[in-house]
Amino acid sequence: MIKNVMKGVIFCVFSVVSIQNVYADDHEFPFVNGMYWEVTGIKLSDGGGLKYANWLAAEWRKNMDYAVSQGWLTRHEILSNVHPRADEPDLYLIRVFNSLPDAAEDEKRRKNYMAWVKKSMEKMQEESGNRAEYRTVMSTSLLQEMKFRE
């Protein structure tokens, strides 16, 4: 009799634990949010690939490395679309970061960046406009990783 009571108690304990696990699984999304990926699609003009590659290897990389050194980005990458169709980007510029800054942090970063870059907004706008002769920004997407819940 005591043996049967013990078996019953053990069964009840395991049942309650099992029910709690099922309940938790039913009420939690199977993913947790991960890093943000900002992906910019670039279309190159005929004959503009080398000029843009040189700019990416010098200016863009320097700016991205600065952002990584400040902890604003975790990494940056460039992907080439090996066989782009007419309506697709040739390159994807990728910036990966942990979180979006609030307005105050964004302003602080802007001030730090402007002090570091030592260029006026007018000069940076002019330089960006000059790159339009050999590249077109097709789109920018903000994506977020979805990681499986452990």
Side-chain angles (χ1 to χ4, degrees):
M1 169 105 171
I2 293 183
K3 217 179 203 184
N4 288 338
V5 170
M6 288 303 290
K7 285 181 182 178
V9 169
I10 291 171
F11 174 77
C12 287
V13 168
F14 282 119
S15 295
V16 169
V17 170
S18 296
I19 289 170
Q20 287 176 341
N21 285 339
V22 169
Y23 180 80
D25 289 345
D26 284 348
H27 290 84
E28 287 186 332
F29 196 63
F31 297 105
V32 294
N33 293 335
M35 299 228 190
Y36 289 94
W37 290 51
E38 185 181 71
V39 180
T40 301
I42 302 292
K43 188 70 170 174
L44 298 173
S45 300
D46 286 342
L50 180 59
K51 196 168 189 178
Y52 194 59
N54 285 332
W55 180 83
L56 288 169
E59 290 295 315
W60 188 80
R61 183 179 184 186
K62 180 175 67 171
N63 283 288
M64 296 303 103
D65 288 347
Y66 177 73
V68 169
S69 76
Q70 298 300 301
W72 305 340
L73 299 179
T74 60
R75 70 181 192 271
H76 52 87
E77 301 177 22
I78 301 171
L79 298 178
S80 174
N81 187 354
V82 178
H83 300 294
R85 291 171 281 215
D87 60 342
E88 292 180 340
D90 296 303
L91 298 174
Y92 294 95
L93 309 182
I94 300 170
R95 300 172 351 127
V96 181
F97 47 95
N98 289 316
S99 62
L100 297 169
D102 63 17
E105 176 64 19
D106 197 41
E107 181 65 14
K108 180 180 161 188
R109 290 178 183 188
R110 188 191 65 75
K111 287 180 180 178
N112 287 345
Y113 175 77
M114 293 303 290
W116 173 80
V117 78
K118 296 178 176 53
K119 292 181 184 179
S120 68
M121 288 296 268
E122 184 177 330
K123 178 70 173 159
M124 290 189 298
Q125 286 293 311
E126 178 186 328
E127 290 172 352
S128 178
N130 292 342
R131 286 189 299 280
E133 73 182 55
Y134 50 87
R135 67 93 173 103
T136 301
V137 176
M138 294 185 73
S139 67
T140 298
S141 298
L142 182 60
L143 310 171
Q144 190 173 25
E145 291 177 331
M146 301 293 289
K147 297 185 175 208
F148 291 107
R149 187 173 296 281
E150 296 290 326

